[in-house]
Amino acid sequence: MIRRDSTNGDETRHQPDDAMAILTADHRQVRALFQQYEDTSDPYLKQIIAEYVFAELTLHMLLEETVFYPVFAEQADAEGKRLVDGALQDHQRVGELMADLQEIDDDAAFEAKFHALREHVDQHIEEEESAMFPQAAQALAEHLEEITALMQERKAQILAS
């Protein structure tokens, strides 16, 4: 992720430093892509942005499903386990919506379904950031460095494949 350094205006590479920060940065990236989609009227550009949304969501969901959720579920109380179950159901729905979108040829139908995807993703992000991440920060505090390293390694593997 490229961020502007407010002190000197230089663009610098910024790597989030813990598991929740990595996931939150992914959330911001996906939301920014959804906004770019909304802000353009060019159908070709919309198609390209939608493909980026699909790629980012797929990568993000893989990271959560293969590293973050299993580790959190292992350390979590009953409420935390319930949050993981709900999040996995959300991911299944997001996957279904993306699959449906890739089959749609009609622009108006695509727009409506893409909007539904955005709403579902926004709801999922709110739930994770307001309920799951605070619990995970406590439950995983002793293991956060290891989990973060695992997530960074997994992300690199996914991107390389």
Side-chain angles (χ1 to χ4, degrees):
M1 166 185 243
I2 297 179
R3 290 200 178 168
R4 286 231 178 253
D5 182 339
S6 58
T7 55
N8 60 14
D10 290 341
E11 286 192 354
T12 56
R13 282 265 169 210
H14 174 74
Q15 284 294 330
D17 55 0
D18 74 48
M20 273 75 69
I22 291 169
L23 298 175
T24 300
D26 287 353
H27 292 165
R28 299 297 164 267
Q29 175 66 22
V30 167
R31 280 184 159 159
L33 287 168
F34 276 123
Q35 192 57 52
Q36 287 175 8
Y37 180 92
E38 293 294 324
D39 291 346
T40 188
S41 58
D42 180 334
Y44 180 70
L45 191 53
K46 280 185 176 276
Q47 182 182 1
I48 292 170
I49 295 168
E51 291 299 326
Y52 275 110
V53 168
F54 300 155
E56 289 291 326
L57 284 173
T58 300
L59 171 63
H60 179 76
M61 291 189 310
L62 274 168
L63 266 184
E64 286 182 332
E65 292 169 10
T66 61
V67 179
F68 186 73
Y69 291 166
V71 174
F72 176 51
E74 191 177 293
Q75 301 293 321
D77 60 12
E79 173 64 11
K81 287 175 179 27
R82 186 192 65 73
L83 289 169
V84 169
D85 287 344
L88 287 168
Q89 289 173 11
D90 285 347
H91 282 197
Q92 184 173 348
R93 181 67 184 133
V94 167
E96 291 165 358
L97 286 167
M98 288 192 303
D100 290 348
L101 279 160
Q102 291 174 337
E103 299 297 317
I104 296 174
D105 288 332
D106 178 65
D107 286 350
F110 187 92
E111 286 285 328
K113 182 80 75 168
F114 197 75
H115 186 73
L117 175 67
R118 181 181 186 168
E119 286 181 355
H120 194 81
V121 168
D122 278 341
Q123 223 173 11
H124 174 74
I125 288 171
E126 289 303 319
E127 178 79 9
E128 277 190 346
E129 291 184 5
S130 66
M132 184 185 287
F133 289 179
Q135 283 192 28
Q138 284 187 314
L140 303 176
E142 294 177 23
H143 308 286
L144 213 47
E145 266 185 51
E146 300 156 60
I147 295 162
T148 302
L150 272 173
M151 283 180 58
Q152 290 168 332
E153 183 180 312
R154 181 72 176 125
K155 191 172 193 172
Q157 288 171 346
I158 294 167
L159 288 171
S161 65

